[in-house]
Amino acid sequence: KAGVTQTPRYLIKTRGQQVTLSCSPISGHRSVSWYQQTPGQGLQFLFEYFSETQRNKGNFPGRFSGRQFSNSRSEMNVSTLELGDSALYLCASSPDRISDEKLFFGSGTQLSVL
Amino acid sequence: AQSVSQHNHHVILSEAASLELGCNYSYGGTVNLFWYVQYPGQHLQLLLKYFSGDPLVKGIKGFEAEFIKSKFSFNLRKPSVQWSDTAEYFCAVKSGNTGKLIFGQGTTLQVKP
């Protein structure tokens, strides 16, 4: 079974631009979560999608948005990029069974904002 | 707001030393508790989890964690570490109310051979 796939692996953007990151969950997983990882801050929760609906949202500004498609693939968009948005963005999928609450993480997209 | 705190940011141990990594959370309701590990160059993966029952849970590679409800803690332990345990460890808490899975800042463990 293929794991969680995130594309692209690396991105370099400049301030003010926008960026779209993609995540393909493990086949059969319907829940997709996004996290921002930075040194010293750990993983900060961005949002979670389930069946094309945003189920949970973290404390990030509205510049950060996401969506999920009918095949459970998810995209995350960041508009008007700021230097502080430089981070590793991780996507995780889950089968979303209460008896098996476990996240499967992708390798992440390393975003650098210049 | 729900938060997770890991006391140690960087721990250096020699092989065979005992390990305890602290984790405290701020939420008072029903919680599910997790430890995730990220080995160098690998994805984050689940080490162990607690949902209910015996507060002492055992995970992979000889790790265990104890849930102490009165202290809002879920500390990770291993009696004897190995060089291969060098990794970053993250504690995470899922609130029964919000459903959000919140991670701590992470602890980098370096084991010297």
Side-chain angles (χ1 to χ4, degrees), chain A residues 30-105:
Chain A
R30 294 194 295 166
S31 169
V32 173
S33 301
W34 288 89
Y35 289 87
Q36 181 194 66
Q37 185 178 12
T38 53
Q41 293 287 319
L43 280 78
Q44 294 188 279
F45 174 71
L46 281 153
F47 24 66
E48 180 201 1
Y49 286 87
F50 179 80
S51 292
E52 301 179 68
T53 302
Q54 187 179 84
R55 188 157 68 173
N56 265 307
K57 189 177 188 304
N59 299 323
F60 278 79
R63 300 186 296 106
F64 292 80
S65 63
R67 58 179 176 167
Q68 186 180 33
F69 302 95
S70 58
N71 61 358
S72 292
R73 190 177 71 85
S74 177
E75 285 183 349
M76 191 193 98
N77 186 277
V78 188
S79 63
T80 321
L81 283 166
E82 299 177 1
L83 295 178
D85 297 334
S86 295
L88 180 67
Y89 290 88
L90 292 170
C91 168
S93 72
S94 166
D96 200 55
R97 290 189 297 270
I98 293 175
S99 61
D100 187 19
E101 287 204 54
K102 176 179 174 180
L103 294 182
F104 293 80
F105 283 87

Side-chain angles (χ1 to χ4, degrees), chain A residues 35 56-57 101 103 105 107, chain B residues 36 43 94 98 100-101:
Chain A
Y35 289 87
N56 265 307
K57 189 177 188 304
E101 287 204 54
L103 294 182
F105 283 87
S107 301
Chain B
Y36 279 82
H43 301 178
K94 185 166 187 175
T98 68
K100 293 182 185 180
L101 182 63

Side-chain angles (χ1 to χ4, degrees), chain B residues 48-103:
Chain B
L48 49 77
K49 61 185 178 182
Y50 171 81
F51 286 0
S52 62
D54 188 344
L56 184 63
V57 292
K58 296 191 184 300
I60 59 172
K61 303 188 180 186
F63 285 91
E64 64 179 31
E66 184 175 13
F67 169 48
I68 303 179
K69 190 173 181 179
S70 61
K71 294 185 178 180
F72 300 93
S73 71
F74 190 56
N75 292 353
L76 181 70
R77 300 195 293 245
K78 185 170 183 178
S80 175
V81 294
Q82 301 173 312
W83 176 78
S84 58
D85 293 325
T86 294
E88 192 160 14
Y89 293 81
F90 293 91
C91 179
V93 178
K94 185 166 187 175
S95 152
N97 268 9
T98 68
K100 293 182 185 180
L101 182 63
I102 305 299
F103 283 78

